[in-house]
Amino acid sequence: EKGGFGDNATITLNAGAQSNEELGVHGHYHVECRDKDGNLKWEEKFPNLVVAAGKQLLLDTLLRTSGTYTTVGPFLGLTNATLTPAATDTMTTLVGGGKEFTNYTVGGSAVRGTASFASATSSGTTPSNVTTSTATAITYTITGAGGTVYGCFLVTGSSAVSTQGNTGGTLYSVGNFSTAKVTTAGDTVAVTYSTTATS
């Protein structure tokens, strides 16, 4: 006669479970065009691509203490051609490529608009954190022959200037309208830029 017995144990251990901390930075343009009588001609909201140089500027300005960058501007310009935004875009490929729309004035001068950002606000931590900063709307008064506007760009960095056609500074972001927009002399184009960081 034989007898047997045995024990069996199953152990499940979950240890050190972690989620990666991620940060996404997104920008949006809100653009309204009104005729000389103040009537709304068209309006559009569209996202943009924050290019590689812009992301580097963001982190270097925020995290480095070596004084690599001095923030100037930032300045917001308009484009005169359909773009294919790419991470490798720079002011040289954009403005140096003749893609800046310049038939406008801001405050009576033929310069790019200066984006003045409000203090950032956050939504808290549940379920995720959303931090947003929005610039005051910039009004562009269309001059000369007017023309077709295709999108917007934002430039900053130590050598950025408000001068139209200048390639100085670091291109931060660029974006296209869903369709090109026609403007005529006397129109006003108001552009609001907002940026959002989500984690």
Side-chain angles (χ1 to χ4, degrees):
E1 182 177 344
K2 295 182 179 179
F5 64 89
D7 293 324
N8 182 62
T10 301
I11 300 174
T12 302
L13 174 65
N14 292 323
Q18 297 180 349
S19 63
N20 292 328
E21 182 177 348
E22 296 181 355
L23 172 68
V25 179
H26 308 279
H28 296 272
Y29 292 102
H30 178 196
V31 185
E32 293 182 352
C33 178
R34 297 182 182 273
D35 65 20
K36 58 183 176 56
D37 298 317
N39 300 308
L40 183 67
K41 293 179 69 174
W42 48 262
E43 178 181 13
E44 185 161 350
K45 298 178 182 179
F46 60 99
N48 68 84
L49 175 70
V50 179
V51 300
K55 292 176 182 175
Q56 290 171 352
L57 177 64
L58 176 69
L59 295 180
D60 283 343
T61 303
L62 176 66
L63 301 177
R64 294 184 67 183
T65 58
S66 63
T68 303
Y69 292 104
T70 300
T71 301
V72 178
F75 304 111
L76 201 150
L78 308 176
T79 61
N80 66 6
T82 298
L83 306 175
T84 305
T88 55
D89 284 340
T90 64
M91 286 299 288
T92 300
T93 60
L94 178 70
V95 177
K99 299 172 184 173
E100 182 173 6
F101 179 86
T102 59
N103 285 345
Y104 66 81
T105 59
V106 175
S109 300
V111 295
R112 297 167 182 155
T114 302
S116 298
F117 284 88
S119 298
T121 58
S122 295
S123 65
T125 59
T126 305
S128 61
N129 177 262
V130 178
T131 301
T132 302
S133 182
T134 302
T136 303
I138 302 168
T139 300
Y140 301 78
T141 301
I142 305 301
T143 60
T148 303
V149 181
Y150 291 77
C152 306
F153 67 91
L154 194 71
V155 58
T156 185
S158 58
S159 58
V161 295
S162 62
T163 307
Q164 295 175 343
N166 187 284
T167 60
T170 299
L171 178 65
Y172 180 75
S173 70
V174 61
N176 289 320
F177 296 126
S178 58
T179 58
K181 310 297 185 183
V182 176
T183 65
T184 56
D187 288 351
T188 56
V189 176
V191 182
T192 302
Y193 185 84
S194 61
T195 185
T196 300
T198 305
S199 61

